[in-house]
Amino acid sequence: MVAACFFVVLPFGAQAACSDSQIELRGTWGKAVFDVEVVADPAARAQGLMFRETMPRGAGMLFVYERPQTVAFWMKNTLIPLDMIFASEDGVVRKVHSNAIPGDLTPIPGGDNIMYVLEINGGLSEIYGIKAGSEMRHEIFDKEVASWPC
């Protein structure tokens, strides 16, 4: 699979069609697009990115919960460093944890009222400027509550 991450500065009003295989992020820093695998059931969320030896730079995994909740992740059986981007039901980033250590069993709290977690390669959040307050959009987000709807 070939994946690419695009980093461009666009006016806030610029919009394109959403895709189930891509997630967009935007902020005062610009915009980034990642190809994503969506995991929305408990078994897939539990497996996550365990045992993967590599992930293309422009790829990630989007964890989707049934309702907003308190979440924490760990890196058990995860072989690559990851950034974890925690977002509320409206798709607004609430917390970013950078460079989670492969294999570390220490819980990484994401906060309360989290509905989505995007995992990308470690260090990319800092490179692109992704931080709390950035917005995410994906076609799975509820258009009635999304801060940046499709």
Side-chain angles (χ1 to χ4, degrees):
M1 177 172 108
V2 175
C5 179
F6 305 97
F7 181 69
V8 294
V9 177
L10 294 174
F12 260 53
Q15 299 218 359
C18 286
S19 164
D20 63 346
S21 63
Q22 291 187 326
I23 190 163
E24 297 175 87
L25 291 97
R26 74 176 182 183
T28 56
W29 47 269
K31 181 178 172 183
V33 179
F34 294 91
D35 292 334
V36 290
E37 293 176 58
V38 176
V39 291
D41 65 78
R45 286 193 304 261
Q47 178 69 31
L49 290 168
M50 288 182 181
F51 304 109
R52 298 203 189 175
E53 295 179 0
T54 63
M55 182 167 61
R57 179 181 173 114
M61 182 170 279
L62 179 63
F63 295 77
V64 179
Y65 292 90
E66 293 79 14
R67 59 179 168 62
Q69 58 194 276
T70 302
V71 301
F73 278 47
W74 64 354
M75 295 290 286
K76 181 178 181 178
N77 298 320
T78 305
L79 307 176
I80 55 177
L82 297 171
D83 287 355
M84 298 173 187
I85 303 168
F86 300 91
S88 51
E89 185 176 17
D90 58 4
V92 174
V93 174
R94 300 302 174 192
K95 179 180 178 183
V96 176
H97 180 90
S98 297
N99 285 305
I101 301 165
D104 188 359
L105 300 182
T106 306
I108 299 167
D112 299 328
N113 297 312
I114 300 300
M115 182 101 171
Y116 309 104
V117 181
L118 175 63
E119 290 184 337
I120 58 176
N121 282 297
L124 289 181
S125 294
E126 186 175 336
I127 290 170
Y128 295 126
I130 300 166
K131 59 187 174 203
S134 296
E135 296 174 300
M136 300 189 323
R137 88 172 170 168
H138 187 274
E139 74 172 23
I140 203 166
F141 293 6
D142 183 341
K143 291 163 188 53
E144 298 297 317
V145 298
S147 68
W148 184 25
C150 290

